[in-house]
Amino acid sequence: MQNIVINPSKVENLKKETELRAKEKGESESRKLKAENKVLELSLQLKSLQKNIDEEKVEIKKLNVPFKLPKYEELMKAKFEATSKIKELTDVHGAWLPPWLEVHVFRCQS
């Protein structure tokens, strides 16, 4: 059998090192928990911000509709004016004979 010689200074150093490692481990666990909590908190904030962004997109779409309506109304007004001008020009073109001459021709034919 072998005799094991234990050096008290080595034992004391190992105890101190073990205590130091345990303390570091505790600090590490504490930082890990804080980091996990921070990630959870930021994740919740991100979800909240994303929800707000989605709601604002819907509001923007709702607001864009009234801006498009005046343009549509202007287009319809311009189209109406164009058709009325075309009708007027067609009437004028169809009536190339002055009214007084038309009456005179009608009397002559009678």
Side-chain angles (χ1 to χ4, degrees):
M1 215 178 213
Q2 291 181 329
N3 286 337
I4 299 176
V5 179
I6 300 175
N7 189 345
S9 65
K10 283 187 178 183
V11 171
E12 192 62 36
N13 285 341
L14 288 173
K15 281 183 181 180
K16 286 181 183 179
E17 190 174 327
T18 304
E19 289 172 0
L20 182 64
R21 301 277 181 205
K23 184 179 177 184
E24 287 176 355
K25 182 180 177 184
E27 290 173 354
S28 176
E29 288 292 322
S30 174
R31 284 194 307 260
K32 178 185 167 190
L33 288 174
K34 285 181 183 178
E36 287 174 349
N37 288 337
K38 190 68 174 179
V39 166
L40 182 62
E41 179 184 327
L42 291 174
S43 176
L44 292 174
Q45 285 180 353
L46 178 63
K47 286 180 183 179
S48 173
L49 289 173
Q50 188 62 44
K51 182 180 176 185
N52 289 343
I53 288 171
D54 292 341
E55 289 172 357
E56 288 177 3
K57 282 181 182 179
V58 169
E59 288 297 318
I60 288 171
K61 285 181 181 179
K62 286 180 183 177
L63 290 174
N64 277 339
V65 171
F67 288 121
K68 291 179 183 177
L69 286 177
K71 290 180 183 179
Y72 177 75
E73 289 173 355
E74 284 180 33
L75 181 65
M76 293 306 291
K77 184 178 178 183
K79 186 176 179 181
F80 175 75
E81 288 175 3
T83 54
S84 64
K85 291 286 185 188
I86 289 172
K87 184 179 178 190
E88 184 181 326
L89 288 173
T90 304
D91 291 344
V92 168
H93 180 69
W96 61 273
L97 199 57
W100 61 269
L101 185 57
E102 186 178 355
V103 170
H104 184 65
V105 169
F106 181 71
R107 282 187 189 165
C108 289
Q109 287 179 347
S110 305

